[in-house]
Short mmCIF file of all heavy atoms in Angstrom, two decimals:
data_model
loop_
_atom_site.label_atom_id
_atom_site.label_comp_id
_atom_site.label_asym_id
_atom_site.label_seq_id
_atom_site.Cartn_x
_atom_site.Cartn_y
_atom_site.Cartn_z
N MET B 104 -35.31 13.90 71.56
CA MET B 104 -33.93 14.31 71.34
C MET B 104 -32.96 13.21 71.73
O MET B 104 -31.78 13.43 71.88
CB MET B 104 -33.64 15.59 72.11
CG MET B 104 -33.89 15.45 73.59
SD MET B 104 -33.52 17.01 74.41
CE MET B 104 -33.83 16.58 76.10
N PHE B 105 -33.50 12.00 71.92
CA PHE B 105 -32.67 10.83 72.19
C PHE B 105 -31.76 11.04 73.41
O PHE B 105 -30.57 10.78 73.37
CB PHE B 105 -31.84 10.46 70.96
CG PHE B 105 -32.70 10.16 69.77
CD1 PHE B 105 -33.01 11.13 68.84
CD2 PHE B 105 -33.22 8.88 69.60
CE1 PHE B 105 -33.81 10.84 67.75
CE2 PHE B 105 -34.02 8.59 68.51
CZ PHE B 105 -34.32 9.58 67.58
N CYS B 106 -32.36 11.56 74.52
CA CYS B 106 -31.56 11.85 75.70
C CYS B 106 -31.42 10.64 76.59
O CYS B 106 -30.64 10.64 77.53
CB CYS B 106 -32.18 13.00 76.49
SG CYS B 106 -33.82 12.61 77.10
N GLU B 107 -32.18 9.62 76.34
CA GLU B 107 -32.12 8.36 77.08
C GLU B 107 -32.68 8.49 78.50
O GLU B 107 -32.58 7.57 79.30
CB GLU B 107 -30.68 7.82 77.12
CG GLU B 107 -30.63 6.30 77.16
CD GLU B 107 -29.21 5.76 77.21
OE1 GLU B 107 -28.27 6.57 77.10
OE2 GLU B 107 -29.05 4.54 77.35
N LEU B 108 -33.28 9.64 78.86
CA LEU B 108 -33.78 9.79 80.23
C LEU B 108 -34.97 8.89 80.51
O LEU B 108 -35.28 8.59 81.65
CB LEU B 108 -34.17 11.26 80.49
CG LEU B 108 -32.99 12.21 80.63
CD1 LEU B 108 -33.49 13.62 80.88
CD2 LEU B 108 -32.07 11.77 81.76
N CYS B 109 -35.67 8.46 79.46
CA CYS B 109 -36.82 7.58 79.66
C CYS B 109 -36.39 6.17 80.03
O CYS B 109 -37.18 5.41 80.60
CB CYS B 109 -37.69 7.54 78.41
SG CYS B 109 -36.77 7.19 76.92
N VAL B 110 -35.15 5.82 79.72
CA VAL B 110 -34.72 4.44 79.92
C VAL B 110 -34.46 4.15 81.40
O VAL B 110 -34.82 3.11 81.92
CB VAL B 110 -33.49 4.15 79.07
CG1 VAL B 110 -32.92 2.77 79.38
CG2 VAL B 110 -33.84 4.25 77.60
N TYR B 111 -33.85 5.13 82.13
CA TYR B 111 -33.39 4.86 83.49
C TYR B 111 -34.50 4.62 84.50
O TYR B 111 -34.41 3.71 85.33
CB TYR B 111 -32.47 5.99 83.97
CG TYR B 111 -31.24 6.11 83.10
CD1 TYR B 111 -30.98 7.27 82.38
CD2 TYR B 111 -30.36 5.04 83.00
CE1 TYR B 111 -29.87 7.37 81.59
CE2 TYR B 111 -29.24 5.14 82.18
CZ TYR B 111 -28.99 6.30 81.49
OH TYR B 111 -27.91 6.39 80.69
N PRO B 112 -35.59 5.40 84.49
CA PRO B 112 -36.59 5.19 85.55
C PRO B 112 -37.42 3.93 85.40
O PRO B 112 -38.16 3.57 86.32
CB PRO B 112 -37.47 6.44 85.45
CG PRO B 112 -37.34 6.90 84.06
CD PRO B 112 -35.95 6.54 83.64
N CYS B 113 -37.36 3.24 84.28
CA CYS B 113 -38.25 2.10 84.04
C CYS B 113 -38.02 1.00 85.07
O CYS B 113 -36.93 0.46 85.19
CB CYS B 113 -38.03 1.55 82.63
SG CYS B 113 -39.13 0.21 82.24
N PRO B 114 -39.03 0.65 85.86
CA PRO B 114 -38.85 -0.36 86.91
C PRO B 114 -38.70 -1.77 86.33
O PRO B 114 -38.14 -2.64 86.98
CB PRO B 114 -40.12 -0.22 87.73
CG PRO B 114 -41.13 0.35 86.80
CD PRO B 114 -40.39 1.21 85.84
N LYS B 115 -39.21 -1.98 85.15
CA LYS B 115 -39.17 -3.33 84.56
C LYS B 115 -38.08 -3.46 83.50
O LYS B 115 -37.96 -4.50 82.87
CB LYS B 115 -40.52 -3.66 83.91
CG LYS B 115 -41.63 -3.80 84.91
CD LYS B 115 -41.49 -5.13 85.66
CE LYS B 115 -42.58 -5.25 86.71
NZ LYS B 115 -42.40 -6.49 87.50
#
Side-chain angles (χ1 to χ4, degrees):
Chain B
M104 58 180 182
F105 301 94
C106 62
E107 211 181 354
L108 287 180
C109 51
V110 173
Y111 299 118
C113 183
K115 292 286 178 183

